[in-house]
Amino acid sequence: MMDPSSGGGGGEGGGSSFLSAWVADASRRHQHLLDKATPHVRRRWAWLGVLALVYTVRVWIAQGFYIVSYALGIYLLNLFIAFLSPQVDPEIQEVVDGGPGPSLPTRSSDEFRPFVRRLPEFKFWYSITKAFCIAFVLTFFSVFDVPVFWPILLFYWFVLFTVTMKRQILHMIKYKYVPFTFGKQRYTKKKEVVSDDASLPSN
C-alpha cells in the first residue's frame, strides 16, 4: 500500500518545482528586456521622465507622502554622486600608493584614460527607475503618509544637495578629472586632444 505521506510530498515538490521554473522564466524574460533596452539610452531616459512625471502627479493629487518623496530625493542624490565619482577614488589611491592619485593626461606623450564611473550609466538609470516604481507603490499605503511640514523637508534637501555637490566639485578640481567623456579621444602632435567625432577635413 502506498504511503499517503509520500504522495503528498510528491505533490508539494511538483508545486515547488513549478514555482521555481516560473520564477526562473520570469527572471530570464526580465533580463532579456533589460539587455534589449541597454543601447537605447535616450528612450530609456525619456520613459524615466514620464515615470517621474506620473509620480509627481500622484503626489500632487494625494497631497501627501512627503516623507516618501524626501527619502526618494536623498536616494537619488546618492546615486547621482556615485554616477559622478570615479570607480577608483584618487584620494584613497593616493593614501594607498603614498603619492599623488591618478589624473587625466596633460601631455601628448600621456596615454588617454577614459573616465570610469563608480556607478555606470545603465545601473544609474535602472536604480532610479526602481526607486520611482517603489515610491509610487508606497503612495497607495496610508501608513507612509506621515504628516509633516513639507517646505522644511524641501529646504533640508536643497541644503544637503548644495553641500554635497560643492564637496564633489572641489574633489573634481583637486584631482583634475571630468565625469564625462565626449567621443573617443586621442593625442596627436598638432593638437593635444583630438576627438573622433570631429568632422573630417575637406579635400
Side-chain angles (χ1 to χ4, degrees), residues 76-147:
L76 296 184
L77 179 59
N78 289 331
L79 291 178
F80 186 58
I81 294 301
F83 177 72
L84 295 179
S85 302
Q87 187 178 31
V88 179
D89 193 340
E91 189 171 1
I92 299 178
Q93 190 70 27
E94 182 176 326
V95 174
V96 173
D97 296 343
S103 60
L104 294 177
T106 57
R107 298 186 303 273
S108 60
S109 58
D110 293 338
E111 180 184 358
F112 174 74
R113 294 185 297 272
F115 183 81
V116 180
R117 305 180 186 281
R118 184 192 306 171
L119 182 65
E121 181 272 333
F122 183 81
K123 290 185 177 180
F124 180 49
W125 167 84
Y126 187 51
S127 299
I128 295 178
T129 302
K130 290 192 298 183
F132 269 109
C133 290
I134 294 174
F136 183 78
V137 172
L138 292 181
T139 60
F140 291 94
F141 297 91
S142 58
V143 67
F144 297 104
D145 189 10
V146 181

Side-chain angles (χ1 to χ4, degrees), residues 181-193:
T181 301
F182 302 97
K184 184 178 179 181
Q185 297 177 338
R186 64 180 184 274
Y187 288 86
T188 62
K189 294 181 180 180
K190 292 183 179 181
K191 277 190 175 183
E192 189 177 13
V193 179

Side-chain angles (χ1 to χ4, degrees), residues 7-192:
E12 184 179 353
S16 176
S17 61
F18 172 77
L19 180 61
S20 300
W22 183 85
V23 170
D25 182 65
S27 178
R28 284 194 299 268
R29 290 177 180 271
H30 178 67
Q31 186 61 46
H32 178 66
L33 291 176
L34 291 180
D35 293 340
K36 289 181 63 177
T38 301
H40 304 289
V41 180
R42 293 184 180 179
R43 293 183 182 179
R44 285 193 282 105
W45 286 97
W47 279 110
L48 178 58
V50 173
L51 178 61
L53 180 61
V54 170
Y55 174 79
T56 304
V57 172
R58 166 62 185 166
V59 172
W60 180 75
I61 293 177
Q63 292 294 309
F65 301 99
Y66 302 120
I67 289 293
V68 175
S69 299
Y70 178 73
L72 175 63
I74 296 297
Y75 180 69
L76 296 184
L77 179 59
N78 289 331
L79 291 178
F80 186 58
I81 294 301
F83 177 72
L84 295 179
S85 302
Q87 187 178 31
V88 179
D89 193 340
E91 189 171 1
I92 299 178
Q93 190 70 27
E94 182 176 326
V95 174
V96 173
D97 296 343
S103 60
L104 294 177
T106 57
R107 298 186 303 273
S108 60
S109 58
D110 293 338
E111 180 184 358
F112 174 74
R113 294 185 297 272
F115 183 81
V116 180
R117 305 180 186 281
R118 184 192 306 171
L119 182 65
E121 181 272 333
F122 183 81
K123 290 185 177 180
F124 180 49
W125 167 84
Y126 187 51
S127 299
I128 295 178
T129 302
K130 290 192 298 183
F132 269 109
C133 290
I134 294 174
F136 183 78
V137 172
L138 292 181
T139 60
F140 291 94
F141 297 91
S142 58
V143 67
F144 297 104
D145 189 10
V146 181
V148 65
F149 188 56
W150 67 265
I152 294 182
L153 293 181
L154 185 62
F155 174 75
Y156 283 164
W157 188 87
F158 272 113
V159 170
L160 183 61
F161 176 81
T162 303
V163 173
T164 305
M165 288 305 300
K166 180 181 179 181
R167 183 170 63 246
Q168 183 67 25
I169 292 174
L170 291 177
H171 189 270
M172 292 164 55
I173 294 175
K174 179 180 180 180
Y175 293 100
K176 301 177 182 179
Y177 68 89
V178 179
F180 301 101
T181 301
F182 302 97
K184 184 178 179 181
Q185 297 177 338
R186 64 180 184 274
Y187 288 86
T188 62
K189 294 181 180 180
K190 292 183 179 181
K191 277 190 175 183
E192 189 177 13

